[in-house]
Amino acid sequence: SNNLHQTVKPSVIILFPNCRAMKTFIGPAILTLCPLLGSFSFSTQPSSLIHPRKTDPTHSQHHHFDAVTNRATLSTRLHLIKGGGKGNNAICEIRDDQEGILQASVAVGVVTATIGFLYGKALSSSQKLLWSRLPNALIARNIKINPLYFITGMCTLGGLLIAILTEKFNANFTVGDFVSAFSSAKPEPQALPTSQSTLIPLLLLSLLTSAFGFSLGPEAPMVCAGGIAGASLARVIYKNKCTDKKMATLAYSGAAGALTAFMGIPIAGSVFALEITRSTTGLSSGARDAFSPAIAASLAGLMVLRGFLAPNAFVGGHFNYGLVGSIGGREMMLVAVAAGLGGALLGTLFHKLIVLFKKILWPVPKEGKSISKTRSILVKVLIGLVVGLLGSQYPQTLFWGEGSLQMAIDGQKTAFASTHHGLPDLLTRMARVDPSVPFAGASAALQIGFVKILAITLACAGKFPGGIIFPLFFAGAPFAHAFASLLGPSLLPVAVMGLMAATQAAVTRTPLGSALILSLTSSGSTELSTMLPACLVSSYVGVWGSQWLSSKSYFQYSEKNDKSK
């Protein structure tokens, strides 16, 4: 203890082998304590002082540090003094926490989680008003409702409203723009618009898209809204000290907080936001700085959601995949790989159809001209009409699918009417595949799967704002049920979860995030110790398979341009 500064308390003595472990393990451990201890000094004593080895003179060295931690910024500086008469004093900045970025991330997580929660409440109320209360009120007044006219009319009206408001607000910012801005080697958060001009139109248009029955969900708008809010808060918090690095970190934190509140699960939103901005199976270049803040924002959002905003809501996942039972490792892996390849095929088909429909609906204008507002409005109205016609024949394909996902998972053993997105029986009487009974066979399952993919494709090609996470989850499940007779009851749940994850991941390049979302939203009876490993295999195989099938991708990634320069 003679080596310690007696005037500074508390002090720490660390015994360590004189090797790289000093930098690899001890440093991070010290940094964990720094914010708690404040300013302090410590010495490192080599283990040779306990068991001397005279043949190795380096073991007579010791290191002394003066560590000063700024509680306001959570940053730590070490004054390094090498013992043994070797080396000079040095100042080592071993942690630069971007001036309180963790506290700022927590604040951003709280704000964006509140936005996500309120948005979810508004969307749920709007959907019930249009598709449950309104038809029930008409029925109570003895007004006859034709499912074809009601569903088609509702979707067409939604297309018209969204088209008019899109032109009025000039709201063109999408998750594709978010991906493009953050997928380069050096993220460009300055490309994000301000929340004052973009946030309300973005949320309003995406709410109308989902509420009027289109097969696009709120997930992508949550990423955009959270990212915009996080970047805007960075400008407010740091003012003239705001850098691109801080804005990017808080943008990721905002996206994580909003997704966490909307889906009600932690961590998965953080991973998804960091994966979606990279074209390969990995985290974005900004993950090195943004990963911990994004996790902090997600956890802060979850605490606010569960502790204050919805303290009495059900905690835990609710999707039941059924019992797996006893299966062999070889057959499980074969099914996992097959599901991954199937998801790659479906994801590639989905992307190719979008490209085809966009060429038809949005021809490249002549030089010096732009697409007319009239055409933009007519395209969305036409898409609404077609989606409505499909919905009248296959009502279970309406909406983004999260509320009715259980019926897709169990092959319609759960009746459509009993789900959150269920419609009154009067509106489903024209259904070609009865949504109140299990799939009668492979043909029924394939019809639902293909129609759902078509409905999602039309909405995306029509440039409606919305996300594709849960829509593609929903679309993938029926295809697994088409092979139920070959798989058997034990392997079917593995195939269902694997194909859902692979289909979604093949499009968005988010294999880990997709598997985490499905795992954390599953019920307590789901055998995750068996299904999660297979789901991870399917999810990654889906991405790799889609990259092998096509060099094109759903999003435009700036990192490709960076490599070509």
Side-chain angles (χ1 to χ4, degrees), residues 132-156:
S132 180
R133 295 176 183 173
L134 178 58
N136 286 332
L138 295 176
I139 294 171
R141 297 186 179 185
N142 297 321
I143 299 176
K144 294 183 178 181
I145 298 178
N146 185 307
L148 176 63
Y149 298 152
F150 184 88
I151 295 176
T152 304
M154 190 66 72
C155 292
T156 305

Side-chain angles (χ1 to χ4, degrees), residues 244-263:
D244 284 352
K245 184 178 179 181
K246 294 171 183 174
M247 287 182 63
T249 299
L250 292 189
Y252 277 122
S253 299
L259 279 175
T260 295
F262 185 80
M263 294 189 291

Side-chain angles (χ1 to χ4, degrees), residues 198-495:
T198 308
L199 198 58
I200 297 300
L202 171 67
L203 295 176
L204 175 61
L205 290 172
S206 64
L207 185 146
L208 292 175
T209 298
S210 299
F212 273 94
F214 293 91
S215 290
L216 293 178
E219 308 89 17
M222 286 295 97
V223 172
C224 293
I228 291 171
S232 297
L233 286 172
R235 299 185 186 103
V236 173
I237 294 171
Y238 294 107
K239 296 182 174 60
N240 59 341
K241 293 184 179 180
C242 185
T243 63
D244 284 352
K245 184 178 179 181
K246 294 171 183 174
M247 287 182 63
T249 299
L250 292 189
Y252 277 122
S253 299
L259 279 175
T260 295
F262 185 80
M263 294 189 291
I265 55 176
I267 309 303
S270 307
V271 174
F272 185 89
L274 290 167
E275 276 189 314
I276 200 173
T277 51
R278 186 178 177 90
S279 63
T280 58
T281 53
L283 301 181
S284 70
S285 59
R288 180 175 178 270
D289 299 307
F291 186 77
S292 292
I295 296 294
S298 177
L299 295 178
L302 184 70
M303 292 178 65
V304 170
L305 175 67
R306 296 301 187 196
F308 299 98
L309 299 177
N312 299 320
F314 175 79
V315 177
H318 54 278
F319 296 125
N320 185 4
Y321 290 83
L323 297 177
V324 176
S326 178
I327 59 175
R330 179 181 298 175
E331 57 187 359
M332 182 182 74
M333 286 296 103
L334 286 174
V335 170
V337 173
L341 295 175
L345 286 171
L346 291 176
T348 303
L349 172 65
F350 170 74
H351 177 246
K352 296 296 185 183
L353 285 175
I354 290 179
V355 173
L356 175 62
F357 288 160
K358 280 188 174 181
K359 287 182 178 179
I360 298 173
L361 297 172
W362 309 99
V364 179
K366 295 181 180 179
E367 186 176 354
K369 293 185 178 181
S370 59
I371 296 176
S372 66
K373 292 183 179 180
T374 302
R375 184 181 185 86
S376 298
I377 293 175
L378 288 177
V379 166
K380 285 185 168 58
V381 171
L382 176 62
I383 295 295
L385 175 64
V386 176
V387 168
L389 291 172
L390 290 173
S392 66
Q393 304 300 307
Y394 299 93
Q396 56 268 70
T397 64
L398 288 168
F399 311 110
W400 66 99
E402 181 186 9
S404 54
L405 187 59
Q406 182 59 55
M407 64 166 293
I409 291 173
D410 61 23
Q412 292 193 170
K413 291 179 181 178
T414 300
F416 181 47
S418 65
T419 67
H420 291 296
H421 289 171
L423 300 178
D425 292 337
L426 184 63
L427 295 179
T428 63
R429 65 187 184 186
M430 293 182 64
R432 294 179 179 271
V433 176
D434 191 343
S436 62
V437 298
F439 291 136
S443 175
L446 289 174
Q447 287 182 65
I448 298 302
F450 278 119
V451 172
K452 185 65 175 179
I453 284 184
L454 180 58
I456 305 169
T457 302
L458 288 170
C460 290
K463 298 183 180 180
F464 284 81
I468 56 177
I469 298 178
F470 281 98
L472 288 177
F473 283 159
F474 187 103
F479 287 99
H481 282 282
F483 298 92
S485 59
L486 296 176
L487 295 167
S490 295
L491 290 173
L492 182 59
V494 177

